[in-house]
Amino acid sequence: QVQLVESGGGLVQAGGSLRLSCVVSGRAFNTYVVGWFRQAPGKERVFVARIRWIGDSKYYADSVKGRFTISRDNAKNTVNLQMNSLKPDDTAVYYCAAAKDMASGYAYWGQGTQVTVSS
């Protein structure tokens, strides 16, 4: 079992920044892939970014590339999502999730944190 707890959401004006954090714990969590997803009101949940705990490779959705940065802090067992140049379209509940590998899919999810970007 892997547990994930998000924090850092809030209300920000367009053009502003927020940093989300996801504390990861549990069995062998540091061998997993950790991803961020978001779900806007009335829409499906979509992929935002992911990072491999081993090797540190990263991948971003086109909609956030160049504005968002995913990183991990080994000392704090945390995966961060730095969000800059925020737009109203970034408004959503943001979730972090963990996958043993891409073929297995994301089996573990956090509870989500709300991000609201005002125009």
Side-chain angles (χ1 to χ4, degrees):
Q1 281 280 16
V2 175
Q3 295 80 40
L4 306 104
V5 179
E6 305 99 332
S7 62
L11 173 64
V12 64
Q13 288 189 333
S17 298
L18 279 176
R19 189 173 85 156
L20 305 183
S21 295
C22 176
V23 178
V24 188
S25 61
R27 183 179 179 185
F29 73 90
N30 57 355
T31 64
Y32 279 55
V33 175
V34 177
W36 283 96
F37 293 76
R38 66 187 183 187
Q39 187 168 19
K43 296 187 178 180
E44 294 185 351
R45 187 161 52 191
V46 298
F47 168 79
V48 174
R50 68 170 181 253
I51 186 168
R52 290 186 180 276
W53 211 285
I54 298 175
D56 204 35
S57 66
K58 303 168 186 178
Y59 187 77
Y60 298 92
D62 287 344
S63 59
V64 305
K65 205 172 291 183
R67 300 188 299 123
F68 291 10
T69 302
I70 191 169
S71 63
R72 58 176 169 75
D73 184 334
N74 290 341
K76 297 181 179 179
N77 296 343
T78 299
V79 173
N80 298 309
L81 185 68
Q82 177 66 40
M83 307 186 296
N84 298 329
S85 302
L86 283 162
K87 307 173 182 179
D89 284 350
D90 295 317
T91 295
V93 177
Y94 284 71
Y95 300 89
C96 64
K100 189 174 183 180
D101 51 59
M102 288 293 92
S104 300
Y106 291 91
Y108 305 99
W109 292 83
Q111 81 286 354
T113 186
Q114 176 71 47
V115 171
T116 302
V117 184
S118 63
S119 57

